[in-house]
Amino acid sequence: MRTITIQTLQTMKSQHEKFSVLAAYDASLAQLISEAEIEVILIGDSLGMVVQGHDSTLPVTVDHIAYHTAAVKQGAKRSMIIADMPFMSYATTTQAMDNAAILMQAGAQMVKLEGGEWLTETVDALTQRGVPVCAHLGLTPQSVNKFGGYKVQGRDSEHADTIRKDALLLQQAGADLLVLECVPTALAKDITATLDIPVIGIGAGPYTDAQVLVAYDMLGITPHRTPKFTKNYLLENTDIPAALRAFALEVKAGLFPAEEHSYK
Ligand code: KIV
């Protein structure tokens, strides 16, 4: 696999070639993911739940993400590395710039931030200074206490319009990628067709440009019940490298996610 850059992902979108993303946190798994030709590794703040055992992502700090980013960097030879900015680490543009610098210096090639219109000034400031940004809309887990739980977002037309508008504003502000989490398939399809930047879905149906899962979920490591949008690839494969390759191939072929992993 060639070394993956933003330009690679942009070209893949324009050629209608789907790509895959996994959230992972250590060098060994990052190496296997990279060897399975999965284009992007996300050091997600999901590590607060699947590695640290918390019931939300809120306890995760910039130091935790920086530590795991440095570890992933050792293994991810060709995949692009995105680091999540944790809860309240980008509450102001100045904080975002300081903390993004720590994550980029730890080995990230892009940072991911959760939120809509209020983030446009920050996205502009980061991208102007050479920090690529992945935006994240829909179910943004750092706002679980506002949402009152992990619920599908954008089912009513007013909220769907807000998500559509925010997606366009974030693209205009300079975002390079967008994650859409737990939104109806039709809304994700519409936003993917409207935006020029690649859209990565999780629980957002089969029509986005890419799919992301948490590696611990798709390898059956997560001990508690996993969300309906995930799939345990180790059940159908004999070892971890084969499970990772199966995920990449199913995404590329448009076979994952199926209807049972998606929301109406
Ligand atoms: O933290 C994470 O792993 C994420 C993905 C699930 C998109 O944000």
Side-chain angles (χ1 to χ4, degrees), residues 39-72:
E39 283 83 358
V40 181
I41 302 178
L42 168 70
I43 298 86
D45 59 359
S46 50
L47 71 85
M49 300 170 90
V50 299
V51 175
Q52 298 174 339
H54 300 296
D55 62 1
S56 80
T57 59
L58 272 60
V60 176
T61 67
V62 173
D63 285 348
H64 295 155
I65 299 281
Y67 172 87
H68 287 279
T69 299
V72 164

Side-chain angles (χ1 to χ4, degrees), residues 102-144:
I102 295 171
L103 299 180
M104 297 298 280
Q105 287 171 341
Q109 290 155 298
M110 183 179 289
V111 295
K112 179 166 81 59
L113 299 85
E114 298 180 5
E117 185 171 4
W118 70 272
L119 267 179
T120 51
E121 183 195 312
T122 299
V123 171
D124 179 56
L126 288 171
T127 53
Q128 294 279 357
R129 287 162 180 78
V131 179
V133 170
C134 176
H136 185 158
L137 291 171
L139 172 55
T140 45
Q142 291 170 16
S143 301
V144 61

Side-chain angles (χ1 to χ4, degrees), residues 174-193:
D176 300 280
L177 296 175
L178 171 69
V179 166
L180 278 181
E181 179 163 353
C182 285
V183 297
T185 296
L187 176 61
K189 184 179 184 187
D190 184 22
I191 293 174
T192 304

